[in-house]
Amino acid sequence: NSQTLQYFNGLQQETQKFQNESRTYDRQRRIEEENLKNIRLTQLQLEEKLRNISNELGQEIRTKKIEEEKHVRLRQAMASDHQAIIQITSELQGLEADETAEKTKFVKEMESGLDEIDFLLHQRENERLIRLLEGETVKSLVDTKLAAVMSEIGVGG
């Protein structure tokens, strides 16, 4: 019987040892489950933060793209305006050159007329000039020529 008693005592000790280990492992399991639960909660929080950051990044990318498109349109408009300014300036320079040429032509014609009058005066053809002026012939020719030149350059008269 002593052997049986020892055997049962040994079993009882093994059972006690097993129960103690079981409780220890159970506690560790609960701790690990709590840790896992906390990890899952942290993971969910991180996933939410990631979604928010991703949404913000997406919005930033869209905003940047819109701003880049505005910038491109603005550059195109500025280039177009620049070309228009160059064209208008070129046209104005052409008009100025034409106007200057017309004025130069008019001045040369007037100088030529004045030179002719000076020549006539220096050649002592005053009487002839006076007769021509009295007859309104030169005045009429000068007025006609002046009117023609003025109409060429676009000045009403």
Side-chain angles (χ1 to χ4, degrees):
N1 251 333
S2 131
Q3 222 179 4
T4 306
L5 191 58
Q6 279 182 339
Y7 177 73
F8 281 117
N9 278 338
L11 281 178
Q12 197 173 25
Q13 287 175 353
E14 287 295 320
T15 302
Q16 189 67 28
K17 182 179 171 186
F18 177 76
Q19 286 176 346
N20 288 339
E21 286 177 2
S22 177
R23 281 192 291 271
T24 301
Y25 288 134
D26 193 42
R27 256 192 326 273
Q28 287 176 346
R29 182 186 54 78
R30 281 191 298 258
I31 290 171
E32 291 302 319
E33 284 177 348
E34 189 64 30
N35 287 342
L36 186 59
K37 182 179 170 185
N38 288 336
I39 288 172
R40 285 182 185 149
L41 182 61
T42 301
Q43 181 182 4
L44 289 174
Q45 291 170 345
L46 290 174
E47 286 174 356
E48 181 64 25
K49 282 183 182 179
L50 182 61
R51 272 192 299 277
N52 291 338
I53 290 170
S54 176
N55 289 338
E56 289 173 11
L57 178 61
Q59 183 61 39
E60 287 297 319
I61 290 171
R62 287 187 293 278
T63 301
K64 181 181 177 191
K65 186 173 182 176
I66 289 169
E67 290 301 319
E68 286 173 350
E69 289 170 357
K70 284 181 185 177
H71 183 71
V72 166
R73 285 192 302 272
L74 181 60
R75 279 183 167 247
Q76 289 171 344
M78 287 174 61
S80 176
D81 289 349
H82 180 70
Q83 288 300 325
I85 289 170
I86 289 173
Q87 182 178 352
I88 290 169
T89 303
S90 177
E91 290 173 4
L92 287 175
Q93 288 172 344
L95 291 174
E96 287 174 355
D98 291 347
E99 183 180 342
T100 301
E102 289 294 324
K103 286 179 180 178
T104 302
K105 181 180 172 186
F106 175 74
V107 167
K108 285 182 180 179
E109 289 176 356
M110 293 304 290
E111 286 175 352
S112 175
L114 289 174
D115 288 346
E116 288 177 29
I117 291 173
D118 283 344
F119 177 76
L120 291 174
L121 287 174
H122 286 345
Q123 294 296 321
R124 305 255 184 232
E125 294 187 16
N126 288 341
E127 289 178 20
R128 184 173 171 209
L129 183 59
I130 291 172
R131 270 187 268 133
L132 286 173
L133 286 174
E134 286 175 355
E136 302 274 331
T137 307
V138 171
K139 183 178 185 289
S140 174
L141 286 174
V142 169
D143 286 346
T144 303
K145 184 64 176 176
L146 184 59
V149 168
M150 296 297 266
S151 70
E152 280 182 21
I153 62 171
V155 177

